[in-house]
Amino acid sequence: MPILLYDRIYFTMLRAIPKSFTYGEACIVAQGFTARLIQLTPVAKALNVAVNLFVDEKDAGAIALTPVYLLVGCSLPLWLHPSPCDLTNSSGLQMLTLSAGVLSIGVGDTAASVAGYYIGKHKWHAGTSKSVEGTIASVLLQALAVGVLYHIGVIHLTVSRAAYAGIAIIVNALVESRTDQIDNLVLPLVTYLILVCSS
């Protein structure tokens, strides 16, 4: 439930803040990573502790890109969508489309990872750690998140829009199950592109 609250607060803020704010977030993160890289004395220790929480086996060396990919992936739909902060709604604001990053990574990828780790017994193929159970959990939790967002009035669904959302969720989960590299950039893009087709 905290992700839904975050999602609601984040997009409410975006309606009132110019689009350049998300670019500003990226600049702040870039400055933080630079301070960590050069080991800037007052903040380097705290930044190292914070970054180490998000580092995985794909990160090697001084620069950890997984947290950057996570931020970019969650923000990518906001950057790609025309006028996401349009107060007059002239671009046809679609909260589900704008939520593609949080839905695909924050809900789907996380559900697949946690479920695959704890209950994953059937691997997709011998050379991967991705499990069928993780993929099923990803689909179910993303569908649940869309349902909750619909019922609390954050998103509006028609039958065709719900069908596109279902297709986006299933394709997203299948792409995640076959991706061994950084999927934090691919998953939001795939989900966003499918949801944009429903607009």
Side-chain angles (χ1 to χ4, degrees), residues 4-194:
L4 297 175
L5 181 61
Y6 168 79
D7 199 34
R8 180 92 174 186
I9 292 168
Y10 189 65
F11 288 116
T12 302
M13 283 180 8
L14 282 177
R15 288 185 200 164
I17 298 171
K19 185 176 181 176
S20 61
F21 181 73
T22 56
Y23 297 119
E25 288 175 335
C27 290
I28 291 169
V29 169
Q31 289 173 350
F33 276 101
T34 303
R36 180 179 169 267
L37 184 62
I38 64 171
Q39 292 298 306
L40 190 61
T41 307
V43 294
K45 186 175 180 181
L47 289 173
N48 284 331
V49 169
V51 169
N52 286 336
L53 293 173
F54 297 99
V55 171
D56 64 12
E57 69 279 353
K58 297 174 191 109
D59 290 316
I63 300 176
L65 293 177
T66 299
V68 175
Y69 293 150
L70 183 62
L71 175 67
V72 171
C74 284
S75 300
L76 193 61
L78 299 171
W79 294 345
L80 294 176
H81 198 72
S83 302
C85 303
D86 185 7
L87 295 175
T88 63
N89 200 22
S90 62
S91 67
L93 181 63
Q94 296 290 337
M95 292 303 288
L96 182 59
T97 305
L98 294 175
S99 300
V102 174
L103 181 67
S104 61
I105 296 173
V107 177
D109 197 28
T110 303
S113 179
V114 171
Y117 180 79
Y118 286 108
I119 62 171
K121 296 191 184 342
H122 304 93
K123 304 300 180 197
W124 279 103
H125 56 83
T128 187
S129 62
K130 309 283 178 111
S131 68
V132 174
E133 293 84 358
T135 303
I136 292 169
S138 175
V139 170
L140 293 177
L141 268 104
Q142 286 181 82
L144 178 66
V146 169
V148 168
L149 290 173
Y150 172 73
H151 285 293
I152 63 174
V154 174
I155 61 172
H156 305 287
L157 293 175
T158 61
V159 173
S160 66
R161 189 120 171 96
Y164 271 99
I167 292 167
I169 288 169
I170 292 169
V171 169
N172 171 356
L174 292 174
V175 168
E176 192 279 331
S177 72
R178 304 300 291 180
T179 306
D180 291 328
Q181 296 300 317
I182 307 286
D183 55 4
N184 290 348
L185 297 176
V186 175
L187 296 179
L189 185 61
V190 167
T191 307
Y192 173 78
L193 291 174
I194 294 170

